[in-house]
Amino acid sequence: MRVTKIGAGIVLAAAIMLTGCSAPAAEEPKDDTSTSTTEETTAPSSDCPELTEGATVDGTELGTCITEAMTDTEGYAAKMTVLGMETTAQYDPATEAVAWSTPMGSVVVIGDDAWVKSSTSEWQVADANSSDPIVAGLSQAAATANEADPAVAAAGLSGEFTVTGTGSRLGQDVYILTGTMEQDGVSVDMTYEVTPDYVVLATTGATEAAGQSIETSLEITEWDAKQDIVAPI
């Protein structure tokens, strides 16, 4: 599709709203170990409820448990699909670093510093006011890249989630939690696939805005694996 500054902003908004803190009925989880790590996850420090089929979990409590569980990690990588566009992402909690690679270009954020690169340009400091609409759109994405991190976005969860089934991801058992939440007046259907220790290994989300269906998905491809994210310039 033709991507403009506005188009890039829509993609970003959808990623933030749906990838981390929302999701719809998803396909059955598949057993994918091609890039997996089989290390056991660390249980959250708080008194999180035990997940069992049929159980209900308050969205706020679920979000707290997810955030705590995903903080103690070397890092992780993910594959996201937003409005049909695939993005790969890397996260390094220790350095507050995020790296995105999309068909539009790439983004690196380390702390308060951000750099972007379109498919036809060199790396440059992020500039949301750039005359290049792709650079401007990527710079907008860089400004809020952390918000699409499932560990960060989970803090905005609300409503009630029900454990509707089980499956397997990255060689680990997962519980499938589904629910609906209201976000900025919009109803969002969500599904989370989490380990017994509340690590999110996949999410899907669906909503409708201005008559358009918006769907996203996120799949963790590497968990508890150091991600080498460095300043490109």
Side-chain angles (χ1 to χ4, degrees), residues 125-192:
V125 175
D127 178 10
N129 296 314
S130 172
S131 59
D132 183 329
I134 304 301
V135 170
L138 291 168
S139 299
Q140 288 178 335
T144 49
N146 276 307
E147 295 179 28
D149 179 347
V152 175
L157 283 176
S158 62
E160 188 175 80
F161 287 78
T162 302
V163 180
T164 57
T166 60
S168 178
R169 290 258 184 197
L170 294 181
Q172 297 192 56
D173 293 334
V174 295
Y175 288 94
I176 303 170
L177 292 90
T178 61
T180 301
M181 65 175 283
E182 295 291 326
Q183 185 169 351
D184 297 327
V186 177
S187 180
V188 184
D189 297 323
M190 301 175 288
T191 295
Y192 275 79

Side-chain angles (χ1 to χ4, degrees), residues 76-80 87-91 150 218-222 227:
Y76 46 101
K79 178 176 67 177
M80 298 185 292
T87 297
T88 57
Q90 296 172 278
Y91 301 97
L218 177 144
E219 177 185 351
I220 300 296
T221 55
E222 289 184 296
Q227 304 298 310

Side-chain angles (χ1 to χ4, degrees), residues 24 26 29 67 69 72-74 77 84 95 116 123 128 130 157 178-179 182 184 191-192 201-202 226:
T67 299
D72 186 18
T73 177
E74 285 290 311
T95 60
V116 300
W123 282 104
S130 172
L157 283 176
T178 61
E182 295 291 326
D184 297 327
T191 295
Y192 275 79
L201 294 184
K226 180 67 176 177

